[in-house]
Each structure stands twice: as structure tokens, then as C-alpha cells.
Amino acid sequence: MTWDESRTAKMLQAAEKRLSQASEGAVLVGAAESLAGRLEALVRNSRCYRWLTAEPNPDVIVIDLRETYTVGPFIGLLETVARPVERAWSNSGLESAAATAGTTMSGSRIGQLLSAFLEPPESPERER
């Protein structure tokens, strides 16, 4: 290391020390740290963060029904039949008639009552 590099390194260290001393009591630094702390708490308490970082429940058992002997063939049959039926239904006259009837029915009093009756209940998590 030559004399110039050594002198430059010492000057940089002195400048860093002065900046850190000056910023210790600065209002802007305190506000930024406070904001960062609040933001961290907000993220850590969010449902999404808790869901992504939650440990799996050891009591939950997941069974892929497609691999079972009793339900698997029915699911395979439904998947085989559902694709052609969906293609035939799309853009058919029956689909447009059903959409028109649904729109007309949803505006009626009976349609509104059926909609309210068939609406799923609130999940227990939302009630908390």
C-alpha cells in the first residue's frame, strides 16, 4: 500500500466515523427506523405472511382421491367426459339462453331470494 492509498483509507474511515456520529441523533434516521419497524410488524402480522410461514399441521392427512381404487375411476371418467361437454357447451345456443334466463331471473324478487338462500356462510376466520 502506498502513502496515498493509506492516507485515503484513513480519511474514509474518519469520514465514516463522523457520519455515523452525526446520524445517531438525527430525526430523519429515527423516523426511518421507526417506519421500518412498523412496516416489519405489519408484514409479520399479516395473514399472508403467517400463511406462508406456518408450520404444517401434523394432524392433517392429505389423500389424493385420484390414486384411490374407489373414487379414482369416477374422477377419471368425469375428467374424460367434462372436457368434450365443456367444448360443446361453450358458445352454444343453450348457453346463451341460460345466461339470458339467469340475468332475467337475478333481477327478480325470487332470484334475489334464491341468491340469498344459496349464498355460502361466512367462514369462521372472517368472523374473527
Side-chain angles (χ1 to χ4, degrees):
M1 188 181 268
T2 65
W3 182 79
D4 290 335
E5 291 174 353
S6 173
R7 185 174 176 191
T8 305
K10 286 180 184 179
M11 288 174 52
L12 285 175
Q13 287 174 350
E16 179 185 2
K17 185 177 179 182
R18 285 187 198 131
L19 281 173
S20 65
Q21 288 173 347
S23 67
E24 278 182 21
V27 175
L28 185 59
V29 172
E33 288 174 352
S34 175
L35 180 63
R38 289 180 185 169
L39 186 61
E40 179 186 8
L42 181 72
V43 169
R44 287 189 184 272
N45 292 328
S46 70
R47 286 186 183 185
C48 183
Y49 179 83
R50 287 183 298 186
W51 178 73
L52 288 170
T53 58
E55 292 290 325
N57 188 349
D59 298 336
V60 174
I61 298 172
V62 179
I63 299 172
D64 187 3
L65 293 176
R66 292 185 179 118
E67 296 178 3
T68 62
Y69 291 114
T70 54
V71 181
F74 291 111
I75 292 175
L77 179 66
L78 283 175
E79 287 178 343
T80 304
V81 170
R83 289 185 185 110
V85 168
E86 181 184 12
R87 274 188 247 119
W89 175 262
S90 297
N91 300 322
S92 69
L94 187 58
E95 178 194 25
S96 62
T100 303
T103 303
T104 305
M105 187 70 166
S106 68
S108 70
R109 189 159 189 77
I110 293 173
Q112 291 172 352
L113 288 172
L114 279 173
S115 175
F117 179 73
L118 296 175
E119 187 173 285
E122 285 286 326
S123 68
E125 290 181 358
R126 280 194 166 174
E127 291 176 3
R128 290 184 205 166

